[in-house]
């Protein structure tokens, strides 16, 4: 029985803990004779079973995955501070950080056996990971992060930050009280020490010749101590398991909140890199991607555009894919890239073994797969492109972000065809700013600068149309394809309309109008007079308009 002085003011778990460490003098003998001990399960236990090294890592990882994580983790002082603070309450917390990343990033997360895990990893970390994979947002999160370094790492860091803030509550929910898991770990350590002591005494007794009363008494005491501690561990373990079962829904809710935050973070990173990265599939940690994340996070305008641009670039990539004529060109050399249709057989063979699949993924992400090079004709697209973008005050906000995303998608379309591109920002009379993008003569910084431009003011159509004609004259824009995006009304003077039509006939350029009128589907508009094709957001979804614009230009 447990003495009353150890129960006063304590929970059941704390009382059992005191009993384990201070109650030795009142333990009754469980084994009364040496024959009782020799008939017990302790005799059959092998020392090697008790000497196994336990780990805080619940999930297995390859050396390559460990190397990737170490590179991502390098210099992250914020996560260092979080892990250090949380590690004072839960020793296995840093290992949880690594496992959360692994569960997001790995193609095939593999768990260790429970017998390999430390007490805290088995009772806390494994529980948290179970709730993560069972959360409603996990499929979405996994789809974004799997095989993508930066989204997986940023999402894991967000999850760990949220979890650290709720650590006291989680420890209480999963253990019955905050110190329960530490108590259980100490009890298991005491049990291990008692078992090791008993094993050593039994081994001495096997080797001794004849009876040794003192040794037998020591074996009796050690066996009783080991059995007592085993029962204490079993009792506390049941209390911890009962607390986890009782509070399962509360823990699930806390983890779900953290997973939801991690999913939003992953979407943000994916959106930024998909929108502004030179390679929409490359989401590894490098100087370019790190700088992009930093710049976009500091600009609300860029963040708003990112919500559309990544998706629009996907539409462009799909339109381009559908327009390809496969099999063109003669194989004549090898190059590095990520075109699976041209990858050599030995590279694809890495997918056959789980050990080499991560290496294939790494090479694919970094465009380092060996693939056949083809000789293909180089040609220029149908005509240079000019996008006139309305930046009057009424477009401020979502309409401006959507229009910029469309313009930047058209820029990518032009670049793919080797065409010149001009973005003409316009608002009131005489208010314009033009960004020129000549093939292979601009970078991401130029696109970011153009995206952050916003003029404000009224609406005048004549000024940007005159600028478009000037670009054809002064900058050599040939067979120009003009896209005119606006949310407003501006009636052009009849004499200028006549001049414009004459210029269109002379220079063989067309104008496609996009009217942002989703809030006013019945309003009159003045694009008919000079636009060959018209798209209205009141009649088509934004993505459908982009799909139509891209389809006609790839």
């Amino acid at each position: 029985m447990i003495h009353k002085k150890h129960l006063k003011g304590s929970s059941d778990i704390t009382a059992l803990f005191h009993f384990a460490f201070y109650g030795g003098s009142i333990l009754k003998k469980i084994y009364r004779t040496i024959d009782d001990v020799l008939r017990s399960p302790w005799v059959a236990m092998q020392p090697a079973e008790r000497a196994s090294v336990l780990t805080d890592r619940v999930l297995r990882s390859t050396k390559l995955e460990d190397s990737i994580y170490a590179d991502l983790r390098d210099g992250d002082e914020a996560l260092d501070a979080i892990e250090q603070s949380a590690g004072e309450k839960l020793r296995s917390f840093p290992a949880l950080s690594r496992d959360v990343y692994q569960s997001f990033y790995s193609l095939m997360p593999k768990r260790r056996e429970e017998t390999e895990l430390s007490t805290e990893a088995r009772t806390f970390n494994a529980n948290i990971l179970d709730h993560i994979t069972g959360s409603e947002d996990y499929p979405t999160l996994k789809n974004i992060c799997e095989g993508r370094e930066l989204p997986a790492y940023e999402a894991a860091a967000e999850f760990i930050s949220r979890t650290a803030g709720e650590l006291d509550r989680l420890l209480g929910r999963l253990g019955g009280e905050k110190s329960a898991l530490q108590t259980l770990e100490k009890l298991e350590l005491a049990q291990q020490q008692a078992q090791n002591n008993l094993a050593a005494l039994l081994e001495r007794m096997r080797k001794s010749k004849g009876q040794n009363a003192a040794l037998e008494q020591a074996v009796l005491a050690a066996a009783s101590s080991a059995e007592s501690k085993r029962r204490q561990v079993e009792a506390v373990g049941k209390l911890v398991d009962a607390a986890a079962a009782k509070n399962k829904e509360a823990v699930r809710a806390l983890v779900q909140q953290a997973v939801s935050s991690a999913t939003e973070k992953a979407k943000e990173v994916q959106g930024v890199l998909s929108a502004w990265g030179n390679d929409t599939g490359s989401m590894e940690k490098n100087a370019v991607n790190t700088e992009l994340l930093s710049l976009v996070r500091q600009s609300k305008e860029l963040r708003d555009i990112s919500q559309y641009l990544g998706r629009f670039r996907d539409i462009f990539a799909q339109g381009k894919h559908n327009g390809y004529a496969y099999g063109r060109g003669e194989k004549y050399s090898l190059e590095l890239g990520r075109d699976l249709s041209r990858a050599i057989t030995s590279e694809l063979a890495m997918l056959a073994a789980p050990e080499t699949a991560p290496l294939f993924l790494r090479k694919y992400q970094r465009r380092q797969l060996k693939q056949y090079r083809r000789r293909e004709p180089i040609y220029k697209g149908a005509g240079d492109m000019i996008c006139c973008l309305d930046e009057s005050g009424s477009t401020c906000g979502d309409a401006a972000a959507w229009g910029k995303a469309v313009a930047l998608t058209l820029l990518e379309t032009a670049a793919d065809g080797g065409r010149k591109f001009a973005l003409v920002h316009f608002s009131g009379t005489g208010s314009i700013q033009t960004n020129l993008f000549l093939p292979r003569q601009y970078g991401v910084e130029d696109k970011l600068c153009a995206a952050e431009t916003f003029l404000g003011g009224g609406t005048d159509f004549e000024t940007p149309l005159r600028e478009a004609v000037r670009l054809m004259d002064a900058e050599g824009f040939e067979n120009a394809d003009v896209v005119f995006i606006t949310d407003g009304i501006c009636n052009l003077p009849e004499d200028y309309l006549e001049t414009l039509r004459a210029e269109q006939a002379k220079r063989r350029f067309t104008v496609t109008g996009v009217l942002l009128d989703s809030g006013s589907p019945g309003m009159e508009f003045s694009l008919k007079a000079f636009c060959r094709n018209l798209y209205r957001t009141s009649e088509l979804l934004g993505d459908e308009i982009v799909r139509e614009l891209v389809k006609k230009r790839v």
Side-chain angles (χ1 to χ4, degrees), residues 268-282:
E268 177 203 34
V269 176
Q270 182 193 40
V272 170
L273 298 183
S274 295
W276 305 104
N278 288 327
D279 178 3
T280 58
S282 176

Side-chain angles (χ1 to χ4, degrees), residues 289-307:
N289 285 341
T290 302
E291 182 68 13
L292 271 177
L293 283 172
S294 176
L295 288 173
V296 175
R297 282 171 171 167
Q298 295 173 34
S299 169
K300 183 181 184 304
E301 291 81 6
L302 295 180
R303 292 198 305 273
D304 290 345
I305 295 169
S306 299
Q307 294 179 11

Side-chain angles (χ1 to χ4, degrees), residues 217-393:
Q217 286 301 313
V219 169
L220 277 171
S224 294
S225 176
E227 179 62 22
S228 174
K229 286 177 170 50
R230 185 195 67 77
R231 294 178 183 181
Q232 292 159 17
V233 167
E234 183 180 29
V236 174
K238 287 181 178 178
L239 289 173
V240 169
D241 290 343
K246 177 183 177 182
N247 298 311
K248 183 177 181 179
E249 285 305 307
V251 173
R252 185 199 64 76
L254 290 173
V255 172
Q256 176 60 48
Q257 292 175 5
V259 172
S260 295
S261 295
T263 303
E264 290 306 309
K265 180 65 70 173
K267 287 179 180 178
E268 177 203 34
V269 176
Q270 182 193 40
V272 170
L273 298 183
S274 295
W276 305 104
N278 288 327
D279 178 3
T280 58
S282 176
M283 296 189 183
E284 63 189 31
K285 180 183 179 181
N286 56 41
V288 173
N289 285 341
T290 302
E291 182 68 13
L292 271 177
L293 283 172
S294 176
L295 288 173
V296 175
R297 282 171 171 167
Q298 295 173 34
S299 169
K300 183 181 184 304
E301 291 81 6
L302 295 180
R303 292 198 305 273
D304 290 345
I305 295 169
S306 299
Q307 294 179 11
Y308 296 106
L309 183 54
R311 192 167 72 250
F312 292 174
R313 291 184 78 184
D314 287 341
I315 292 173
F316 163 69
Q318 185 62 43
K320 179 180 173 183
H321 175 82
N322 291 341
Y324 277 161
Y326 289 99
R328 296 181 306 161
E330 169 196 359
K331 298 176 184 177
Y332 71 99
S333 181
L334 292 178
E335 63 182 355
L336 297 180
R338 53 182 290 172
D339 187 340
L340 296 181
S341 68
R342 293 193 281 135
I344 65 175
T345 306
S346 61
E347 298 285 56
L348 296 174
M350 288 189 288
L351 291 170
E355 296 78 10
T356 55
L359 178 59
F360 176 88
L361 180 64
R362 180 84 161 171
K363 294 179 74 173
Y364 176 79
Q365 288 180 324
R366 294 190 170 184
R367 290 181 168 271
Q368 292 177 346
L369 291 176
K370 292 178 183 177
Q371 63 187 40
Y372 292 111
R373 179 179 294 170
R374 296 179 186 272
R375 289 191 179 95
E376 298 192 10
I378 298 173
Y379 61 91
K380 187 174 180 181
D384 298 320
M385 296 177 65
I386 301 170
C387 180
C388 299
L389 181 62
D390 185 352
E391 292 182 359
S392 57

